[in-house]
Amino acid sequence: SYDLTQPPSVSVSPGQTASITCSGDKLGDKYACWYQQKSGQSPVLLIYQDTKRPSGIPERFSGSNSGNTATLTISGTQAMDEADYYCQAWDSRSAFFGGGTKLTVL
Amino acid sequence: QVTLRESGPALVKPTQTLTLTCTFSGFSLSASGMCVSWIRQPPGKALEWLARIDWDDDKLYSTSLRTRLTISKDTSKNQVVLTMTNMGPVDAAKYYCARILKNDSGSYIFDYWGQGTLVTVSS
């Protein structure tokens, strides 16, 4: 098993920058992905291969991954960004998700 | 346009076998680099990966659930089927199927998700 640890919750004011971390053993040696899940909806791919954004994902979403920690950064956070965020990585031919972080935009 | 849709029983009894079908369109599971995975999410809890089947019929399973899961594909019907034996109350969840794309960098990416199907386990 491979554990990915996220903070349960993060709060941010509108227009500010939110950072959500994901920690795992030597996570920087793997590719990290991030998914956004709004209430009652399916997850949506936000970031893949540590830093890449799929088409249609706003530029305010960015990612990094080094050492044991991957980070999702949301610049100029908007009310519509309030959601659960999950990191994900592959290890030994299995996929693992973090426990999720609830982002509250106050 | 890639779409995936999960189908199956909304209610199963304890000890029964759950069979879920993922019907997809917009891609072919026989194309190199294409995969389909199942993921579940108990109400109010995190995502949990279950299984993956690849274009070349390689099959991967969650280590903790390996003995209870079987994944298969019918390329001609654009369907992937997951069976889970010996269902119990802890298996109640929304079950999602998702397309996985293996890109040129060797990264496997869950790029499209279905709407999910809610499964309750009760006698």
Side-chain angles (χ1 to χ4, degrees):
Chain A
S1 185
Y2 183 73
D3 291 329
L4 291 172
T5 302
Q6 300 179 232
S9 62
V10 168
S11 297
V12 64
S13 299
Q16 298 304 301
T17 297
S19 294
I20 300 174
T21 58
C22 174
S23 299
D25 185 47
K26 297 180 182 177
L27 181 55
D29 293 343
K30 312 176 194 302
Y31 284 132
C33 293
W34 290 91
Y35 301 86
Q36 178 193 63
Q37 187 178 33
K38 294 185 177 180
S39 181
Q41 298 183 18
S42 302
V44 171
L45 176 66
L46 275 183
I47 298 289
Y48 67 97
Q49 213 165 303
D50 297 337
T51 62
K52 300 184 187 301
R53 275 180 293 106
S55 61
I57 299 300
E59 291 184 8
R60 64 179 182 276
F61 291 95
S62 62
S64 63
N65 186 15
S66 179
N68 294 321
T69 304
T71 303
L72 173 70
T73 302
I74 311 172
S75 304
T77 306
Q78 301 181 9
M80 69 170 63
D81 299 331
E82 191 160 283
D84 294 327
Y85 292 84
Y86 293 91
C87 61
Q88 178 265 319
W90 290 88
D91 179 76
S92 301
R93 287 168 56 85
S94 291
F96 295 92
F97 289 91
T101 298
K102 182 175 183 59
L103 178 69
T104 301
V105 183
L106 298 171
Chain B
Q1 179 189 4
V2 173
T3 65
L4 304 101
R5 185 183 76 250
E6 305 87 351
S7 58
L11 176 67
V12 296
K13 292 180 167 54
T15 75
Q16 284 188 335
T17 294
L18 172 69
T19 299
L20 296 172
T21 300
C22 176
T23 302
F24 56 86
S25 63
F27 68 98
S28 172
L29 195 42
S30 60
S32 180
M34 295 296 173
C35 319
V36 170
S37 223
W38 286 93
I39 307 98
R40 71 179 179 181
Q41 184 174 37
K45 296 191 176 180
L47 301 167
E48 179 185 16
W49 176 75
L50 300 177
R52 186 186 98 193
I53 189 164
D54 295 355
W55 72 98
D56 58 0
D57 211 37
D58 193 13
K59 298 166 187 172
L60 285 67
Y61 296 100
S62 162
T63 302
S64 61
L65 294 168
R66 173 185 303 276
T67 61
R68 299 174 53 204
L69 296 173
T70 303
I71 192 169
S72 62
K73 63 182 170 74
D74 186 331
T75 305
S76 64
K77 292 182 178 180
N78 281 352
Q79 290 183 333
V80 170
V81 175
L82 180 77
T83 63
M84 179 180 291
T85 61
N86 194 25
M87 292 288 288
V90 297
D91 298 311
K94 180 167 277 192
Y95 286 75
Y96 295 97
C97 64
R99 187 182 84 161
I100 291 179
L101 178 65
K102 180 185 178 185
N103 69 5
D104 293 342
S105 299
S107 181
Y108 289 82
I109 304 158
F110 295 81
D111 61 349
Y112 290 92
W113 295 64
Q115 289 301 305
T117 186
L118 186 62
V119 177
T120 301
V121 183
S122 175
S123 55

